[in-house]
CSV table of all heavy atoms in Angstrom, one decimal:
chain,number,residue,atom,x,y,z
A,62,THR,N,-4.1,21.3,-11.7
A,62,THR,CA,-2.9,20.5,-11.4
A,62,THR,C,-3.2,19.3,-10.5
A,62,THR,O,-2.5,18.3,-10.5
A,62,THR,CB,-1.8,21.4,-10.7
A,62,THR,OG1,-2.5,22.1,-9.5
A,62,THR,CG2,-1.3,22.5,-11.6
A,64,ARG,N,-5.8,17.7,-10.7
A,64,ARG,CA,-6.6,16.8,-11.6
A,64,ARG,C,-8.0,16.5,-10.9
A,64,ARG,O,-8.3,15.3,-10.8
A,64,ARG,CB,-5.9,15.5,-11.9
A,64,ARG,CG,-4.6,15.9,-12.7
A,64,ARG,CD,-3.9,14.7,-13.2
A,64,ARG,NE,-2.9,15.1,-14.1
A,64,ARG,CZ,-2.5,14.5,-15.2
A,64,ARG,NH1,-3.0,13.4,-15.5
A,64,ARG,NH2,-1.5,15.0,-15.9
A,182,VAL,N,-1.8,32.3,-0.4
A,182,VAL,CA,-0.5,32.8,0.0
A,182,VAL,C,0.1,32.1,1.2
A,182,VAL,O,1.2,31.7,1.2
A,182,VAL,CB,-0.5,34.4,0.2
A,182,VAL,CG1,0.8,34.9,0.7
A,182,VAL,CG2,-0.9,35.0,-1.2
A,183,TYR,N,-0.8,32.0,2.2
A,183,TYR,CA,-0.3,31.4,3.5
A,183,TYR,C,0.1,29.9,3.3
A,183,TYR,O,1.1,29.5,3.9
A,183,TYR,CB,-1.4,31.6,4.5
A,183,TYR,CG,-0.9,31.3,5.9
A,183,TYR,CD1,0.0,32.1,6.5
A,183,TYR,CD2,-1.4,30.2,6.6
A,183,TYR,CE1,0.5,31.8,7.8
A,183,TYR,CE2,-0.9,29.9,7.9
A,183,TYR,CZ,0.0,30.7,8.5
A,183,TYR,OH,0.5,30.4,9.7
A,184,PHE,N,-0.7,29.2,2.6
A,184,PHE,CA,-0.5,27.7,2.5
A,184,PHE,C,0.2,27.3,1.2
A,184,PHE,O,0.1,26.2,0.8
A,184,PHE,CB,-1.8,26.9,2.7
A,184,PHE,CG,-2.4,27.0,4.1
A,184,PHE,CD1,-3.6,27.6,4.3
A,184,PHE,CD2,-1.7,26.5,5.2
A,184,PHE,CE1,-4.1,27.7,5.6
A,184,PHE,CE2,-2.2,26.6,6.4
A,184,PHE,CZ,-3.4,27.2,6.6
A,186,ASN,N,3.1,26.7,-0.1
A,186,ASN,CA,4.1,25.6,-0.2
A,186,ASN,C,3.4,24.2,0.0
A,186,ASN,O,3.7,23.2,-0.6
A,186,ASN,CB,5.2,25.8,0.7
A,186,ASN,CG,6.2,26.9,0.2
A,186,ASN,OD1,6.3,27.1,-1.0
A,186,ASN,ND2,6.7,27.6,1.2
A,187,LYS,N,2.5,24.3,1.1
A,187,LYS,CA,1.9,23.0,1.4
A,187,LYS,C,0.9,22.6,0.3
A,187,LYS,O,0.9,21.4,-0.1
A,187,LYS,CB,1.1,23.1,2.7
A,187,LYS,CG,2.0,23.1,3.9
A,187,LYS,CD,1.3,23.0,5.2
A,187,LYS,CE,2.4,22.9,6.3
A,187,LYS,NZ,1.8,22.8,7.6
A,189,GLN,N,1.0,23.3,-2.8
A,189,GLN,CA,1.8,22.9,-4.0
A,189,GLN,C,2.3,21.5,-3.8
A,189,GLN,O,2.2,20.7,-4.7
A,189,GLN,CB,3.0,23.9,-4.1
A,189,GLN,CG,4.0,23.4,-5.2
A,189,GLN,CD,5.1,24.4,-5.4
A,189,GLN,OE1,5.0,25.2,-6.3
A,189,GLN,NE2,6.2,24.2,-4.7
A,190,ALA,N,2.8,21.2,-2.6
A,190,ALA,CA,3.3,19.8,-2.3
A,190,ALA,C,2.2,18.8,-2.5
A,190,ALA,O,2.4,17.7,-3.0
A,190,ALA,CB,3.9,19.8,-1.0
A,192,CYS,N,-0.6,19.1,-4.2
A,192,CYS,CA,-1.0,18.9,-5.6
A,192,CYS,C,0.0,18.1,-6.4
A,192,CYS,O,-0.3,17.4,-7.3
A,192,CYS,CB,-1.3,20.2,-6.3
A,192,CYS,SG,-2.8,21.1,-5.6
A,193,PHE,N,1.3,18.3,-6.1
A,193,PHE,CA,2.3,17.7,-6.9
A,193,PHE,C,2.5,16.2,-6.4
A,193,PHE,O,2.6,15.3,-7.3
A,193,PHE,CB,3.7,18.4,-6.6
A,193,PHE,CG,4.8,17.8,-7.3
A,193,PHE,CD1,4.9,17.8,-8.7
A,193,PHE,CD2,5.8,17.2,-6.6
A,193,PHE,CE1,6.0,17.3,-9.4
A,193,PHE,CE2,6.9,16.6,-7.3
A,193,PHE,CZ,7.0,16.7,-8.7
A,194,ASP,N,2.5,15.9,-5.2
A,194,ASP,CA,2.8,14.6,-4.7
A,194,ASP,C,2.1,14.4,-3.3
A,194,ASP,O,2.8,14.6,-2.3
A,194,ASP,CB,4.3,14.3,-4.6
A,194,ASP,CG,4.6,12.8,-4.3
A,194,ASP,OD1,3.7,12.1,-3.9
A,194,ASP,OD2,5.8,12.5,-4.4
A,196,GLU,N,1.1,11.9,-1.6
A,196,GLU,CA,1.6,10.9,-0.7
A,196,GLU,C,2.9,11.4,0.1
A,196,GLU,O,3.0,11.2,1.3
A,196,GLU,CB,2.0,9.6,-1.5
A,196,GLU,CG,2.2,8.4,-0.7
A,196,GLU,CD,2.3,7.2,-1.6
A,196,GLU,OE1,3.2,7.2,-2.4
A,196,GLU,OE2,1.4,6.3,-1.4
A,197,PHE,N,3.8,12.0,-0.6
A,197,PHE,CA,5.0,12.5,0.0
A,197,PHE,C,4.6,13.6,1.0
A,197,PHE,O,5.2,13.7,2.1
A,197,PHE,CB,6.0,13.1,-1.1
A,197,PHE,CG,7.3,13.5,-0.5
A,197,PHE,CD1,8.3,12.5,-0.3
A,197,PHE,CD2,7.6,14.8,-0.1
A,197,PHE,CE1,9.5,12.8,0.2
A,197,PHE,CE2,8.8,15.1,0.5
A,197,PHE,CZ,9.8,14.1,0.6
A,199,ARG,N,2.0,13.9,2.7
A,199,ARG,CA,1.5,13.2,3.9
A,199,ARG,C,2.7,12.7,4.8
A,199,ARG,O,2.6,12.8,6.0
A,199,ARG,CB,0.7,12.0,3.5
A,199,ARG,CG,-0.3,11.5,4.4
A,199,ARG,CD,-1.3,10.6,3.8
A,199,ARG,NE,-2.0,11.2,2.7
A,199,ARG,CZ,-3.1,10.7,2.1
A,199,ARG,NH1,-3.5,9.6,2.5
A,199,ARG,NH2,-3.7,11.4,1.2
A,200,LEU,N,3.7,12.2,4.2
A,200,LEU,CA,4.9,11.7,4.9
A,200,LEU,C,5.6,12.8,5.6
A,200,LEU,O,6.4,12.6,6.5
A,200,LEU,CB,5.8,10.9,4.0
A,200,LEU,CG,5.2,9.6,3.4
A,200,LEU,CD1,6.1,9.1,2.4
A,200,LEU,CD2,5.0,8.7,4.6
A,201,ARG,N,5.4,14.1,5.1
A,201,ARG,CA,6.1,15.2,5.8
A,201,ARG,C,5.1,15.7,6.9
A,201,ARG,O,5.3,16.9,7.3
A,201,ARG,CB,6.4,16.3,4.8
A,201,ARG,CG,7.4,16.0,3.8
A,201,ARG,CD,8.8,15.5,4.3
A,201,ARG,NE,9.3,16.4,5.3
A,201,ARG,CZ,10.4,16.2,6.1
A,201,ARG,NH1,11.0,15.0,6.0
A,201,ARG,NH2,10.8,17.1,6.9
A,202,GLY,N,4.2,14.9,7.3
A,202,GLY,CA,3.3,15.3,8.4
A,202,GLY,C,2.2,16.3,8.0
A,202,GLY,O,1.6,16.9,8.9
A,203,ILE,N,1.9,16.5,6.7
A,203,ILE,CA,0.9,17.4,6.3
A,203,ILE,C,-0.4,16.7,6.3
A,203,ILE,O,-0.5,15.6,5.7
A,203,ILE,CB,1.2,18.0,5.0
A,203,ILE,CG1,2.5,18.8,5.0
A,203,ILE,CG2,0.1,18.9,4.5
A,203,ILE,CD1,3.0,19.3,3.7
A,208,TYR,N,-6.6,19.5,3.7
A,208,TYR,CA,-6.3,20.5,2.7
A,208,TYR,C,-7.1,20.2,1.4
A,208,TYR,O,-7.5,21.1,0.7
A,208,TYR,CB,-4.8,20.7,2.4
A,208,TYR,CG,-4.1,21.3,3.5
A,208,TYR,CD1,-3.4,20.5,4.5
A,208,TYR,CD2,-4.0,22.7,3.7
A,208,TYR,CE1,-2.7,21.1,5.5
A,208,TYR,CE2,-3.3,23.2,4.7
A,208,TYR,CZ,-2.7,22.5,5.6
A,208,TYR,OH,-2.0,23.0,6.7
A,247,ALA,N,3.5,28.6,-18.0
A,247,ALA,CA,4.1,28.9,-16.7
A,247,ALA,C,5.2,27.9,-16.3
A,247,ALA,O,5.1,26.7,-16.6
A,247,ALA,CB,3.0,28.9,-15.6
A,248,LYS,N,6.2,28.4,-15.6
A,248,LYS,CA,7.2,27.5,-15.1
A,248,LYS,C,7.0,27.2,-13.6
A,248,LYS,O,7.6,26.2,-13.1
A,248,LYS,CB,8.6,28.2,-15.3
A,248,LYS,CG,9.1,28.1,-16.7
A,248,LYS,CD,10.6,28.3,-16.8
A,248,LYS,CE,11.1,28.4,-18.2
A,248,LYS,NZ,10.7,27.4,-19.1
A,249,LYS,N,6.3,28.0,-12.9
A,249,LYS,CA,6.0,27.8,-11.5
A,249,LYS,C,4.5,27.9,-11.3
A,249,LYS,O,3.8,28.6,-12.0
A,249,LYS,CB,6.8,28.9,-10.7
A,249,LYS,CG,8.3,28.6,-10.6
A,249,LYS,CD,8.9,29.9,-10.0
A,249,LYS,CE,10.3,29.5,-9.4
A,249,LYS,NZ,10.1,29.1,-7.9
A,250,LEU,N,4.1,27.4,-10.1
A,250,LEU,CA,2.7,27.3,-9.8
A,250,LEU,C,2.1,28.7,-9.7
A,250,LEU,O,1.0,29.0,-10.2
A,250,LEU,CB,2.5,26.5,-8.6
A,250,LEU,CG,1.0,26.1,-8.3
A,250,LEU,CD1,0.6,25.1,-9.4
A,250,LEU,CD2,0.9,25.4,-6.9
A,253,MET,N,1.5,30.3,-13.0
A,253,MET,CA,0.4,29.8,-13.6
A,253,MET,C,-0.9,30.4,-13.1
A,253,MET,O,-1.8,30.8,-13.8
A,253,MET,CB,0.3,28.3,-13.3
A,253,MET,CG,-0.8,27.5,-14.0
A,253,MET,SD,-0.5,25.7,-13.9
A,253,MET,CE,-2.1,25.1,-14.4
B,140,LYS,N,4.8,0.7,2.1
B,140,LYS,CA,3.8,1.6,2.6
B,140,LYS,C,3.5,1.4,4.1
B,140,LYS,O,3.1,2.3,4.8
B,140,LYS,CB,2.5,1.5,1.8
B,140,LYS,CG,2.8,2.1,0.4
B,140,LYS,CD,1.5,2.4,-0.4
B,140,LYS,CE,1.9,3.2,-1.6
B,140,LYS,NZ,0.9,3.2,-2.6
B,143,LEU,N,6.2,3.0,6.1
B,143,LEU,CA,6.0,4.5,6.1
B,143,LEU,C,4.8,4.9,6.9
B,143,LEU,O,4.6,6.1,7.1
B,143,LEU,CB,5.8,5.0,4.6
B,143,LEU,CG,7.1,4.9,3.7
B,143,LEU,CD1,6.7,5.0,2.3
B,143,LEU,CD2,8.0,6.1,4.1
B,145,LEU,N,1.7,4.7,5.9
B,145,LEU,CA,0.7,5.1,5.0
B,145,LEU,C,-0.5,4.2,5.1
B,145,LEU,O,-1.7,4.6,4.9
B,145,LEU,CB,1.2,5.2,3.5
B,145,LEU,CG,2.1,6.3,3.2
B,145,LEU,CD1,2.7,6.2,1.8
B,145,LEU,CD2,1.4,7.7,3.3
B,164,ARG,N,8.4,9.1,11.0
B,164,ARG,CA,8.3,9.5,9.7
B,164,ARG,C,9.4,10.5,9.3
B,164,ARG,O,9.9,10.4,8.2
B,164,ARG,CB,7.0,10.3,9.5
B,164,ARG,CG,6.0,9.5,8.7
B,164,ARG,CD,4.7,10.2,8.6
B,164,ARG,NE,3.7,9.2,8.3
B,164,ARG,CZ,2.4,9.4,8.2
B,164,ARG,NH1,2.0,10.6,8.4
B,164,ARG,NH2,1.6,8.5,7.9
B,165,PHE,N,9.7,11.4,10.2
B,165,PHE,CA,10.7,12.4,9.8
B,165,PHE,C,12.1,11.8,9.7
B,165,PHE,O,13.0,12.5,9.3
B,165,PHE,CB,10.7,13.6,10.8
B,165,PHE,CG,9.4,14.4,10.6
B,165,PHE,CD1,8.3,14.3,11.4
B,165,PHE,CD2,9.4,15.3,9.5
B,165,PHE,CE1,7.2,15.1,11.1
B,165,PHE,CE2,8.3,16.1,9.3
B,165,PHE,CZ,7.2,16.0,10.1
B,169,TYR,N,11.5,9.0,1.7
B,169,TYR,CA,10.8,8.1,0.8
B,169,TYR,C,11.0,8.6,-0.7
B,169,TYR,O,10.8,9.8,-1.0
B,169,TYR,CB,9.3,8.0,1.1
B,169,TYR,CG,8.5,7.3,0.1
B,169,TYR,CD1,8.7,6.0,-0.3
B,169,TYR,CD2,7.3,7.9,-0.4
B,169,TYR,CE1,7.9,5.4,-1.2
B,169,TYR,CE2,6.5,7.3,-1.3
B,169,TYR,CZ,6.8,6.0,-1.7
B,169,TYR,OH,6.0,5.4,-2.6
B,176,LEU,N,4.3,10.7,-11.0
B,176,LEU,CA,4.0,12.1,-10.8
B,176,LEU,C,3.6,12.8,-12.1
B,176,LEU,O,3.9,12.3,-13.1
B,176,LEU,CB,5.3,12.8,-10.2
B,176,LEU,CG,5.8,12.3,-8.9
B,176,LEU,CD1,7.1,12.9,-8.6
B,176,LEU,CD2,4.8,12.5,-7.8
B,177,ASP,N,2.8,13.9,-11.9
B,177,ASP,CA,2.3,14.6,-13.1
B,177,ASP,C,3.5,15.4,-13.7
B,177,ASP,O,4.1,16.3,-13.1
B,177,ASP,CB,1.3,15.6,-12.6
B,177,ASP,CG,0.8,16.5,-13.7
B,177,ASP,OD1,1.1,16.2,-14.9
B,177,ASP,OD2,0.0,17.4,-13.5
B,180,PHE,N,3.4,19.3,-14.3
B,180,PHE,CA,3.2,20.2,-13.2
B,180,PHE,C,4.2,21.3,-13.2
B,180,PHE,O,5.4,21.0,-13.4
B,180,PHE,CB,3.4,19.4,-11.8
B,180,PHE,CG,2.7,20.1,-10.7
B,180,PHE,CD1,1.5,19.8,-10.3
B,180,PHE,CD2,3.4,21.1,-10.0
B,180,PHE,CE1,0.9,20.4,-9.2
B,180,PHE,CE2,2.9,21.7,-8.9
B,180,PHE,CZ,1.6,21.4,-8.5
B,181,PRO,N,3.8,22.6,-13.1
B,181,PRO,CA,4.8,23.7,-13.2
B,181,PRO,C,5.6,23.9,-11.9
B,181,PRO,O,5.2,24.7,-11.1
B,181,PRO,CB,3.9,24.9,-13.5
B,181,PRO,CG,2.6,24.6,-12.9
B,181,PRO,CD,2.4,23.1,-12.9
B,182,VAL,N,6.7,23.2,-11.8
B,182,VAL,CA,7.6,23.4,-10.6
B,182,VAL,C,9.0,23.3,-11.1
B,182,VAL,O,9.3,22.6,-12.0
B,182,VAL,CB,7.4,22.3,-9.5
B,182,VAL,CG1,6.3,22.6,-8.5
B,182,VAL,CG2,7.3,20.9,-10.1
B,186,ASP,N,12.1,23.8,-6.3
B,186,ASP,CA,10.8,23.7,-5.6
B,186,ASP,C,10.5,22.3,-5.1
B,186,ASP,O,10.0,22.0,-4.0
B,186,ASP,CB,9.6,24.1,-6.6
B,186,ASP,CG,9.6,25.6,-6.9
B,186,ASP,OD1,10.0,26.3,-6.0
B,186,ASP,OD2,9.1,25.9,-7.9
B,190,MET,N,10.3,20.6,-1.1
B,190,MET,CA,9.1,19.9,-0.4
B,190,MET,C,9.6,18.9,0.6
B,190,MET,O,8.9,18.6,1.6
B,190,MET,CB,8.4,19.1,-1.5
B,190,MET,CG,7.6,20.0,-2.5
B,190,MET,SD,6.8,19.0,-3.8
B,190,MET,CE,6.4,20.3,-4.9
B,191,GLY,N,10.8,18.5,0.5
B,191,GLY,CA,11.4,17.6,1.5
B,191,GLY,C,11.6,18.3,2.9
B,191,GLY,O,11.9,17.6,3.9
B,193,LEU,N,9.3,20.4,4.2
B,193,LEU,CA,8.0,20.8,4.7
B,193,LEU,C,7.7,20.0,6.1
B,193,LEU,O,8.4,19.1,6.4
B,193,LEU,CB,6.9,20.4,3.8
B,193,LEU,CG,6.6,21.4,2.6
B,193,LEU,CD1,5.6,20.8,1.6
B,193,LEU,CD2,6.1,22.7,3.2
B,194,GLY,N,6.7,20.5,6.7
B,194,GLY,CA,6.3,19.7,7.9
B,194,GLY,C,6.6,20.4,9.2
B,194,GLY,O,6.2,20.0,10.3
B,196,GLY,N,5.9,23.9,11.3
B,196,GLY,CA,5.1,25.1,11.3
B,196,GLY,C,3.8,25.0,10.5
B,196,GLY,O,3.7,24.2,9.6
B,197,LEU,N,2.9,25.9,10.7
B,197,LEU,CA,1.6,25.7,10.1
B,197,LEU,C,1.5,26.2,8.7
B,197,LEU,O,1.0,25.5,7.8
B,197,LEU,CB,0.6,26.6,10.9
B,197,LEU,CG,-0.9,26.5,10.5
B,197,LEU,CD1,-1.5,25.1,10.6
B,197,LEU,CD2,-1.7,27.5,11.2
B,198,GLY,N,2.2,27.3,8.4
B,198,GLY,CA,2.0,27.9,7.0
B,198,GLY,C,2.9,27.1,6.0
B,198,GLY,O,2.6,26.9,4.9
B,199,GLY,N,4.1,26.8,6.5
B,199,GLY,CA,5.0,26.1,5.6
B,199,GLY,C,5.8,27.0,4.7
B,199,GLY,O,6.1,26.7,3.6
B,200,ARG,N,6.3,28.1,5.3
B,200,ARG,CA,7.2,29.0,4.5
B,200,ARG,C,8.6,28.4,4.7
B,200,ARG,O,8.9,27.8,5.7
B,200,ARG,CB,7.1,30.4,5.1
B,200,ARG,CG,5.7,31.0,5.1
B,200,ARG,CD,5.6,32.3,4.3
B,200,ARG,NE,6.0,32.0,2.9
B,200,ARG,CZ,5.0,31.9,1.9
B,200,ARG,NH1,3.8,32.1,2.2
B,200,ARG,NH2,5.4,31.7,0.7
B,201,PHE,N,9.4,28.7,3.7
B,201,PHE,CA,10.8,28.1,3.8
B,201,PHE,C,11.8,29.1,4.3
B,201,PHE,O,11.8,30.3,3.9
B,201,PHE,CB,11.2,27.6,2.4
B,201,PHE,CG,10.4,26.5,1.9
B,201,PHE,CD1,9.7,26.5,0.7
B,201,PHE,CD2,10.3,25.3,2.7
B,201,PHE,CE1,9.0,25.4,0.3
B,201,PHE,CE2,9.6,24.2,2.2
B,201,PHE,CZ,8.9,24.3,1.0
B,225,GLN,N,12.9,23.6,-15.0
B,225,GLN,CA,11.6,23.0,-14.7
B,225,GLN,C,11.8,21.5,-14.6
B,225,GLN,O,12.6,20.9,-15.4
B,225,GLN,CB,10.6,23.3,-15.9
B,225,GLN,CG,9.5,24.2,-15.5
B,225,GLN,CD,8.4,24.1,-16.4
B,225,GLN,OE1,8.6,24.5,-17.6
B,225,GLN,NE2,7.3,23.7,-16.0
B,228,GLU,N,11.5,19.3,-17.6
B,228,GLU,CA,12.5,19.3,-18.7
B,228,GLU,C,13.6,18.3,-18.5
B,228,GLU,O,14.4,18.1,-19.4
B,228,GLU,CB,13.1,20.7,-18.8
B,228,GLU,CG,12.2,21.8,-19.3
B,228,GLU,CD,12.7,23.2,-19.1
B,228,GLU,OE1,13.8,23.4,-18.7
B,228,GLU,OE2,11.9,24.1,-19.4
B,241,ARG,N,15.2,15.3,-2.8
B,241,ARG,CA,14.1,15.7,-1.9
B,241,ARG,C,14.0,14.9,-0.7
B,241,ARG,O,13.8,15.5,0.4
B,241,ARG,CB,12.8,15.6,-2.7
B,241,ARG,CG,11.6,15.9,-2.0
B,241,ARG,CD,10.3,15.8,-2.8
B,241,ARG,NE,10.0,14.4,-3.0
B,241,ARG,CZ,8.8,14.0,-3.5
B,241,ARG,NH1,7.9,14.9,-3.8
B,241,ARG,NH2,8.5,12.7,-3.7
Side-chain angles (χ1 to χ4, degrees):
Chain A
T62 55
R64 299 186 171 215
V182 170
Y183 192 67
F184 292 117
N186 288 327
K187 285 191 174 176
Q189 172 176 269
C192 291
F193 179 69
D194 186 352
E196 196 170 59
F197 188 85
R199 204 167 300 194
L200 292 172
R201 295 304 306 171
I203 298 171
Y208 290 96
K248 283 201 188 311
K249 282 168 158 272
L250 196 64
M253 183 167 165
Chain B
K140 290 196 168 165
L143 289 162
L145 287 169
R164 252 175 203 178
F165 288 100
Y169 172 56
L176 301 173
D177 177 9
F180 199 95
V182 276
D186 286 335
M190 288 177 196
L193 279 171
L197 182 65
R200 307 240 59 107
F201 294 123
Q225 250 196 294
E228 288 167 9
R241 178 177 71 168

